[in-house]
Amino acid sequence: PVLTHSVTDPALPGATLDRLSQLIESNLLNAKELVAGSPRAPSTHIFVKAQTSFAEPKQRMSVFVSYSHDDEKWVERLITHLTTYRHDFSLDIFRSAERSVGDILGHNISGAIATADIIIPCISANYLTSDYIRREEIPQILARRDDGALIAPVLLSDAPIPRYLNHHRAVPYNNRGRLQPIRRFSSAEAGYHAAAGQIMEMAQSYLGAWHDF
């Protein structure tokens, strides 16, 4: 005879070992009784089948992307590459806009910055020369430095990393470990891919909440 147990204990996986141990012990006793009752009983195989439906819950993270409107097509590709990680993690991505439309948008941006786990300033000449970004967004972004947010600058094109972001690691860096603008990669897609992956790696280390990329 084949004795089969299906384990569907909702307490899995914490109680898995104890539960399986109990089942194995019980099956062995039952098998001995079967063998004892039949002088020529066939060899008995005991299977313990664990059916687990549990899964790691997705870690929800809020991402704020600060960029110049003139760089929007570049930022859209970066966001697309960030979104590829949604199969593992739940990302709420809020995009800023240099050209604010009334107080409502400005209020929404302030709220998004205040609650973001990850803030991504997209550095370019357009970004650094935007009065709106310098006046409205940068002070709020810098205020989050000591408030648990990960600030991860992305270098879109040739431009200096501003002094106020010098203490934060910028991406993407090439296979030699050197910072390189996305537009100077062999292909822009390779640059976006590198930037998105490196941001996720930093998030894993800095926030201590993501794993197994």
Side-chain angles (χ1 to χ4, degrees):
V2 177
L3 306 180
T4 304
H5 276 273
S6 177
V7 181
T8 56
D9 192 331
L12 287 171
T16 302
L17 294 178
D18 291 340
R19 180 61 175 152
L20 294 183
S21 177
Q22 293 172 6
L23 288 171
I24 291 173
E25 183 178 356
S26 174
N27 280 332
L28 287 174
L29 291 175
N30 292 336
K32 289 179 179 179
E33 292 176 1
L34 288 172
V35 172
S38 175
R40 301 187 65 178
S43 61
T44 302
H45 301 279
I46 301 174
F47 298 93
V48 178
K49 181 180 179 182
Q51 296 178 340
T52 60
S53 60
F54 61 89
E56 287 286 339
K58 288 186 178 181
Q59 178 68 40
R60 180 172 293 277
M61 289 291 168
S62 176
V63 181
F64 178 81
V65 183
S66 174
Y67 67 96
S68 165
H69 179 81
D70 293 329
D71 295 324
E72 188 165 9
K73 68 176 183 178
W74 293 88
V75 173
E76 288 293 337
R77 292 305 302 158
L78 174 63
I79 290 174
T80 297
H81 280 262
L82 287 170
T83 304
T84 63
Y85 287 90
R86 278 184 170 166
H87 68 283
D88 288 322
F89 311 106
S90 181
L91 301 177
D92 295 325
I93 300 176
F94 188 96
R95 289 167 280 187
S96 74
E98 176 187 354
R99 296 169 185 172
S100 178
V101 181
D103 294 335
I104 294 179
L105 180 56
H107 177 74
N108 289 341
I109 288 176
S110 296
I113 294 175
T115 58
D117 299 297
I118 304 170
I119 299 175
I120 305 175
C122 295
I123 307 299
S124 68
N126 294 326
Y127 188 85
L128 298 178
T129 56
S130 167
D131 289 334
Y132 176 81
I133 291 173
R134 185 174 63 254
R135 183 181 66 252
E136 300 294 335
E137 294 186 17
I138 294 302
Q140 298 181 69
I141 291 173
L142 297 181
R144 294 296 319 282
R145 287 189 298 192
D146 300 323
D147 191 24
L150 169 64
I151 300 177
V154 172
L155 189 58
L156 294 179
S157 58
D158 290 314
I161 300 297
R163 184 181 302 175
Y164 52 78
L165 292 176
N166 275 345
H167 297 296
H168 304 280
R169 185 173 188 180
V171 298
Y173 41 92
N174 58 29
N175 56 11
R176 296 181 180 180
R178 297 178 180 176
L179 180 64
Q180 182 170 312
I182 286 177
R183 297 187 190 186
R184 286 194 174 273
F185 272 71
S186 57
S187 72
E189 289 299 301
Y192 296 128
H193 174 73
Q198 290 158 15
I199 288 171
M200 294 299 160
E201 289 176 0
M202 286 193 293
Q204 178 188 16
S205 174
Y206 187 84
L207 301 175
W210 295 356
H211 53 85
D212 297 335
F213 290 107

